[in-house]
Structure formats: structure tokens, C-alpha cells
Amino acid sequence: MTEHTDSGFERGTDGPKVIVAGVDGSESSLRAAAYAAGLARRQNALLALVYVQPVVPAGAALGAPVADTTGEIAEGLVAEIRASAERLKGIYEVRWEFHTFRGDPYAGLVSAAQELMADAVVVGASEQAGHRIVGSVAIRLVKAGRWPVTVVP
């Protein structure tokens, strides 16, 4: 009999079936994606790579096409990830998808993990000094306590 708790975690399964990895182009997020790919391969899980497009308040961009810029970042990430996946073909196969969500990184990853019914979330450690004081996306995800969270340095 499988134990089911209020947190939504299911004990006694054969491992995660969907692993969400947050990517934003930073070195730590790309290491997190590579780590998550290894987990997905070993667990035969789907790797869902998620880029959260920042939402900029109207007028804050002073006329700069911010949506185009974040769209270009997403396209660049997809191209980079596709190239990496192609290089690994034949060595090992990983089922993966790329998703974009809008919002701040924490809210976007929470939405992604809920919508994709994630079993685990993998993120890179914050590379911003201020996050050590205020709290990074990773810390907020851990405190939410809804999924196992792996933070890759």
C-alpha cells in the first residue's frame, strides 16, 4: 500500500517521473540542467526545462522591447539545450521538453512544477550576492516544502 501524505509526496514509488529544472542562462542553471538530465536518465523520467520570463511593469523599460529580449533569451536557451542534447544522442537518451512561464522566478517555477505535476525540482544556486541575505529562489522553493528540491552549485 502506498502511503500518501498531505504534502502531495507519494512514498514508495520508483522515483520521479517528471523533473523540473529551472534555466536562465547562468552557469549554475546550466549545471543544474545537466545534473537534472542525469537524474532523468537514471530514473527514466521526463526532464522539463523551464525558463521564467521576467514580467517588467509597463513603462519601466523606457521603450525598450523587453518582451523581445526575454523571448530571444528563451530562443537562445532552447538552441543551446538542443545542441547539448544532440551531442549526447547515442551516448544516452533523455526525454525532455522546454517550457517558458512568465513572472518572477520563484512564482514561475512554482507554476511550472504544479502544472507539469513535478516530482522534483532542480535549480542552480543563486549567483547574486544579495540573495544570501534576502533568500534565493532555491531557499524559497525548499521552504515551500512541496517538492524535493536539489540545489546545484
Side-chain angles (χ1 to χ4, degrees), residues 33-132:
Y35 181 85
L39 284 178
R41 178 185 60 83
R42 288 187 294 280
Q43 299 281 352
N44 193 29
L46 173 67
L47 172 61
L49 298 162
V50 174
Y51 169 63
V52 181
Q53 291 188 353
V55 174
V56 179
L62 300 175
V66 175
D68 293 346
T69 306
T70 58
E72 285 168 20
I73 292 169
E75 286 172 25
L77 285 171
V78 171
E80 198 169 327
I81 291 161
R82 278 217 168 91
S84 296
E86 286 298 318
R87 284 196 298 276
L88 296 175
K89 262 198 175 137
I91 300 169
Y92 61 81
E93 296 293 324
V94 176
R95 292 179 301 127
W96 65 277
E97 302 172 345
F98 185 83
H99 299 270
T100 59
F101 285 78
R102 295 180 67 81
D104 74 89
Y106 170 76
L109 285 171
V110 166
S111 294
Q114 287 174 329
E115 191 172 309
L116 301 168
M117 297 191 297
D119 296 292
V121 179
V122 180
V123 292
S126 175
E127 296 177 354
Q128 297 178 17
H131 281 179
R132 287 188 214 114

